């Protein structure tokens, strides 16, 4: 899939929503059966508009014996909506023109992938991630990304100018390799 098609697919999550495939197992009289369901999620923008996150501890603090004011919920969603709107305005010529400069299209795709990742993290679909220092992808030499709590496998994050190659590494294998280096 070319960069423009990937960009349109990414933008569709912001405006139209997306389908997610979920597999689950159920025990039947015939044994264990694997079933699949498709879940339709509303658009990220709609979800961010109605997001009622929790107030951070910092926002809850105030004067111990005085009146105070705090927001009814986290302002993170509002800030992210503003960033999305700013990006849509700034990248509008690229998002509507398939014949835009390929470098601009890839830069636009990176910007919206980052916004999508942040929105999905804020809404609870994905765990927060961080880049893994000292390691690169064996296939393309790109950076590697993992959940901050190590609850996901490690994935290629690509280079600043290229998308990820799709390679995944077992988080457990990295731990085993690290332990083997420590044992003489």
């Amino acid at each position: 899939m070319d960069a423009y098609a990937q960009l349109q697919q990414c933008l569709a999550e912001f405006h139209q929503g997306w389908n997610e495939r979920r597999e689950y197992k159920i025990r039947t009289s015939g044994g264990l059966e694997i079933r699949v369901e498709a879940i339709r999620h509303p658009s990220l923008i709609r979800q961010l508009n109605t997001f009622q996150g929790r107030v951070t501890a910092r926002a809850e603090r105030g004067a111990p014996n005085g009146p105070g004011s705090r927001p009814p919920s986290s302002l993170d969603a509002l800030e992210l909506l503003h960033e999305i709107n700013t990006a849509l305005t700034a990248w509008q010529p690229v998002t509507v023109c398939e014949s835009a400069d390929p470098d601009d299209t890839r830069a636009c795709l990176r910007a919206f992938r980052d916004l999508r990742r942040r929105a999905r993290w804020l809404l609870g679909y994905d765990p927060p991630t961080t880049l893994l220092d000292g390691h690169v992808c064996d296939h393309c030499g790109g950076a590697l990304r993992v959940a901050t709590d190590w609850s996901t496998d490690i994935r290629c994050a690509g280079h600043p100018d290229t998308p990820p190659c799709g390679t995944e590494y077992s988080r457990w294998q990295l731990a085993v390799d690290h332990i083997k280096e420590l044992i003489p």
Side-chain angles (χ1 to χ4, degrees):
M1 185 182 305
D2 69 334
Y4 185 75
Q6 291 177 35
L7 175 61
Q8 294 306 307
Q9 185 178 22
C10 182
L11 290 173
E13 287 189 32
F14 286 98
H15 296 289
Q16 300 166 1
W18 72 98
N19 289 325
E20 183 178 359
R21 182 176 189 257
R22 189 178 76 155
E23 292 184 10
Y24 61 96
K25 296 176 183 175
I26 188 168
R27 187 163 301 280
T28 63
S29 60
L32 197 61
E33 203 174 281
I34 297 175
R35 295 193 179 169
V36 177
E37 68 180 350
I39 302 170
R40 180 74 183 162
H41 296 286
S43 71
L44 290 172
I45 290 176
R46 178 175 169 209
Q47 291 183 63
L48 289 170
N49 274 320
T50 59
F51 180 71
Q52 294 292 319
R54 64 175 199 259
V55 178
T56 62
R58 183 178 45 161
E60 289 177 353
R61 280 183 283 188
N65 295 323
S69 175
R70 64 178 183 187
S73 65
S74 170
L75 298 176
D76 294 338
L78 187 60
E79 182 180 332
L80 188 55
L81 280 168
H82 176 71
E83 288 183 45
I84 292 168
N85 188 40
T86 302
L88 284 169
T89 302
W91 290 106
Q92 195 267 339
V94 177
T95 61
V96 298
C97 180
E98 190 170 356
S99 61
D101 179 27
D103 292 335
D104 288 344
T105 303
R106 285 191 295 275
C108 180
L109 177 59
R110 276 193 309 278
F112 281 102
R113 277 184 173 160
D114 180 59
L115 289 168
R116 178 184 63 189
R117 181 179 53 81
R118 291 173 50 205
R120 289 177 59 94
W121 171 76
L122 183 65
L123 295 167
Y125 290 108
D126 299 329
T129 60
T130 186
L131 294 177
L132 198 58
D133 290 335
H135 299 278
V136 296
C137 177
D138 293 336
H139 295 264
C140 70
L144 297 175
R145 182 172 293 283
V146 67
T148 54
D149 64 358
W150 287 77
S151 63
T152 64
D153 284 337
I154 302 161
R155 296 176 182 214
C156 176
H159 295 279
D161 57 343
T162 58
C165 69
T167 304
E168 290 188 25
Y169 302 91
S170 167
R171 62 188 181 269
W172 305 114
Q173 187 59 49
L174 184 67
V176 168
D177 292 344
H178 180 69
I179 291 169
K180 284 180 181 176
E181 290 175 6
L182 297 175
I183 298 174

